[in-house]
Amino acid sequence: MFETKTVRARLFLQILLAIIVLPFVFPLIAMVQGSLAGAGWGNYQTVLSLPLLPGFFINSALLSAAVILIVLACTTMAAFGFSKLHIRGKEIYFWMLMVALTLPGVVLLAPLFATVTQIGAYNTLWAVILPVAALQIPFTVLLARNFADGIPNELIEAARVDGASTFRTFWHVMLPLMKPIMAAVLVLVFINSWNEYLLALLFLQTPEQQTITLVPQFFVGQYNNDQTKVLAAAVLTGLPVVIAYIFLQRFFERGLAAGALK
């Protein structure tokens, strides 16, 4: 751990963090500057005047909310089971789940496409919701299990002695104590699901079903390539994520640090 008790140590840490952040800040600055080139704020007015833009925002919000609910439910229950329940062979199941972290999403596109078309979910939000949730669960379970391991086993045993069932123990004892890591998972999943582009591009074909990340494609075509409008659309797409992170930053950092360290 860094010791930041002295002014010199704090100053050095601030300078170091500023240097580390610079490579990530420059592209954002370039994006905002590019979005204001040419027509200036008129680029944003053009993007906001798209008739289907409210529908894109609603679809992205529905997708993100569904993914968050699925991931939180699966993650908390899996973390409780892997950490506190006596399940035969649970470590084998856990490491089988961790193997999924090594699979890049691109490798799964062909089988996902075949599965989605076979079950009739093509061009529906569920075609994106379920794969996005499934791809995020292994990492969130890893974080949540580490956090759950830090909760004293005596609390679980006390609930069992009092006659609480496994579900009541999970709901009334475990779940309230897992709020910090749940907040971190919420922010992480929201960012990933809101910014999902590849699966949305592949599975959502009609404008009525498409999400906000696909808005820039309306300004790129065979005879049109207005990069200023594309950058303006990208800025508007990223604003909800930035706002959400600003308001939930404290909970995200606290939960992520607690979940990453045992």
Side-chain angles (χ1 to χ4, degrees), residues 225-241:
N225 188 7
D226 195 337
Q227 290 299 313
T228 58
K229 306 296 190 302
V230 171
L231 293 174
V235 172
L236 292 175
T237 301
L239 275 179
V241 174

Side-chain angles (χ1 to χ4, degrees), residues 178-261:
M178 294 182 67
K179 286 181 179 180
I181 194 64
M182 289 172 63
V185 169
L186 187 150
V187 176
L188 187 65
V189 172
F190 173 71
I191 292 174
N192 291 334
S193 58
W194 183 272
N195 291 331
E196 177 56 43
Y197 175 78
L198 184 59
L199 293 179
L201 180 65
L202 180 63
F203 294 137
L204 304 177
Q205 294 300 308
T206 60
E208 292 77 15
Q209 297 293 333
Q210 290 175 342
T211 58
I212 193 67
T213 54
L214 301 180
V215 169
Q217 71 178 357
F218 285 87
F219 303 100
V220 178
Q222 185 176 1
Y223 304 105
N224 179 37
N225 188 7
D226 195 337
Q227 290 299 313
T228 58
K229 306 296 190 302
V230 171
L231 293 174
V235 172
L236 292 175
T237 301
L239 275 179
V241 174
V242 174
I243 294 172
Y245 181 77
I246 290 174
F247 283 101
L248 298 173
Q249 177 183 6
R250 178 165 56 92
F251 303 101
F252 175 74
E253 293 175 350
R254 182 191 306 169
L256 197 61
L261 301 174

Side-chain angles (χ1 to χ4, degrees), residues 94-105 134-143:
F94 177 76
W95 288 108
M96 288 176 63
L97 184 64
M98 291 303 102
V99 170
L101 289 173
T102 65
L103 294 175
L135 290 172
Q136 297 188 67
I137 285 174
F139 180 67
T140 57
V141 169
L142 176 63
L143 289 178

Side-chain angles (χ1 to χ4, degrees), residues 5-176:
K5 296 180 180 179
T6 65
V7 176
R8 181 177 299 179
R10 293 177 182 175
L11 181 62
F12 172 77
L13 186 59
Q14 289 290 337
I15 295 175
L16 178 63
L17 292 176
I19 294 174
I20 294 175
V21 168
L22 283 178
F24 301 95
V25 173
F26 282 139
L28 296 177
I29 295 175
M31 181 173 67
V32 174
Q33 288 180 339
S35 68
L36 294 173
W41 292 106
N43 297 324
Y44 289 91
Q45 294 177 356
T46 302
V47 176
L48 292 173
S49 64
L50 285 174
L52 294 174
L53 188 64
F56 293 148
F57 270 103
I58 292 174
N59 290 337
S60 290
L62 292 175
L63 186 149
S64 300
V67 172
I68 288 171
L69 290 176
I70 294 172
V71 172
L72 281 178
C74 295
T75 298
T76 52
M77 289 189 289
F80 175 61
F82 284 129
S83 179
K84 302 304 180 185
L85 298 183
H86 301 288
I87 302 174
R88 187 176 182 179
K90 68 178 182 180
E91 290 300 324
I92 298 176
Y93 301 138
F94 177 76
W95 288 108
M96 288 176 63
L97 184 64
M98 291 303 102
V99 170
L101 289 173
T102 65
L103 294 175
V106 178
V107 176
L108 303 175
L109 288 182
L112 278 176
F113 185 83
T115 303
V116 166
T117 53
Q118 187 174 3
I119 65 176
Y122 187 73
N123 198 35
T124 66
L125 287 179
W126 288 109
V128 181
I129 290 171
L130 295 178
V132 170
L135 290 172
Q136 297 188 67
I137 285 174
F139 180 67
T140 57
V141 169
L142 176 63
L143 289 178
R145 185 192 180 177
N146 286 339
F147 183 89
D149 287 340
I151 297 175
N153 293 329
E154 289 76 10
L155 293 175
I156 309 301
E157 297 299 330
R160 289 173 179 167
V161 170
D162 290 339
S165 63
T166 301
F167 178 78
R168 288 184 60 119
T169 302
F170 165 74
W171 188 262
H172 294 288
V173 178
M174 199 71 179
L175 206 58

